[in-house]
Amino acid sequence: MTLLDQLNQDMKQAMKNKEKEKLKVIRMVKASLQNESIKLGNDTLSEDEELTVLSRELKQRKDSLQEFKAAGRDDLVQDLETEVDILQKYMPDQLTDEELEMIVQQVIQEVNATSKKDMGKVMSAVMPKVKGRADGSQVNKLVQKNLG
């Protein structure tokens, strides 16, 4: 089942159950997927392209969440946390810290990285391998720790 099929199915269920928040998030994601499809000029998106859109939506909400927490906007924080939880259900299973650490160390050896100067090389090799399954800032911290 494609992501779009899953979203359509969940949207129908959310309508039946009168889950307004879930319905809003699903509609937003569907719109983002359709916009991406139009932008790329394709009728359908590949799994990788769908994952890119989902990751972008999730990252935007997490960034906003941090800003709202810092500004003390508790009224908006709760709404965004709900949206993040809903979006998280459509993401692939996240890598554990140990799995991510192994991937980072493996890539460091593959590209023969020795210092922080090689950070860009390592990051550009790691990110496609963990796409959608790990947060970029988490990867960045691990790479710095292992190159430090």
Side-chain angles (χ1 to χ4, degrees), residues 92-130:
D93 292 336
Q94 298 296 295
L95 293 169
T96 65
D97 290 340
E98 293 80 27
E99 292 170 324
L100 192 54
E101 180 88 30
M102 282 178 31
I103 291 171
V104 167
Q105 288 174 351
Q106 181 183 355
V107 168
I108 287 173
Q109 290 175 353
E110 286 173 10
V111 298
N112 296 323
T114 54
S115 69
K116 290 197 181 203
K117 289 184 210 169
D118 300 320
M119 181 102 178
K121 262 197 292 191
V122 175
M123 287 296 291
S124 62
V126 170
M127 289 312 289
K129 291 183 179 190
V130 300

Side-chain angles (χ1 to χ4, degrees), residues 61-78 80-81:
R61 281 164 184 76
K62 284 183 176 179
D63 290 347
S64 297
L65 192 61
Q66 295 302 320
E67 290 176 27
F68 290 151
K69 281 182 180 177
R73 293 294 309 266
D74 296 333
D75 55 326
L76 297 173
V77 167
Q78 191 170 9
L80 272 177
E81 284 175 341

Side-chain angles (χ1 to χ4, degrees), residues 22-137:
K22 187 173 185 178
L23 189 58
K24 180 181 88 170
V25 173
I26 291 172
R27 284 181 172 153
M28 226 172 345
V29 171
K30 280 186 62 176
S32 293
L33 289 168
Q34 288 172 329
N35 288 339
E36 188 73 12
S37 178
I38 291 168
K39 188 174 109 181
L40 297 174
N42 297 338
D43 288 340
T44 58
L45 295 174
S46 69
E47 252 184 76
D48 200 37
E49 291 165 336
E50 289 176 343
L51 190 58
T52 300
V53 172
L54 260 181
S55 296
R56 185 181 329 131
E57 291 292 320
L58 193 58
K59 183 176 179 353
Q60 285 174 351
R61 281 164 184 76
K62 284 183 176 179
D63 290 347
S64 297
L65 192 61
Q66 295 302 320
E67 290 176 27
F68 290 151
K69 281 182 180 177
R73 293 294 309 266
D74 296 333
D75 55 326
L76 297 173
V77 167
Q78 191 170 9
D79 291 344
L80 272 177
E81 284 175 341
T82 304
E83 287 184 24
V84 167
D85 289 343
I86 293 168
L87 280 174
Q88 203 73 51
K89 291 176 185 158
Y90 297 102
M91 295 295 287
D93 292 336
Q94 298 296 295
L95 293 169
T96 65
D97 290 340
E98 293 80 27
E99 292 170 324
L100 192 54
E101 180 88 30
M102 282 178 31
I103 291 171
V104 167
Q105 288 174 351
Q106 181 183 355
V107 168
I108 287 173
Q109 290 175 353
E110 286 173 10
V111 298
N112 296 323
T114 54
S115 69
K116 290 197 181 203
K117 289 184 210 169
D118 300 320
M119 181 102 178
K121 262 197 292 191
V122 175
M123 287 296 291
S124 62
V126 170
M127 289 312 289
K129 291 183 179 190
V130 300
K131 186 171 196 158
R133 299 184 310 149
D135 185 44
S137 61

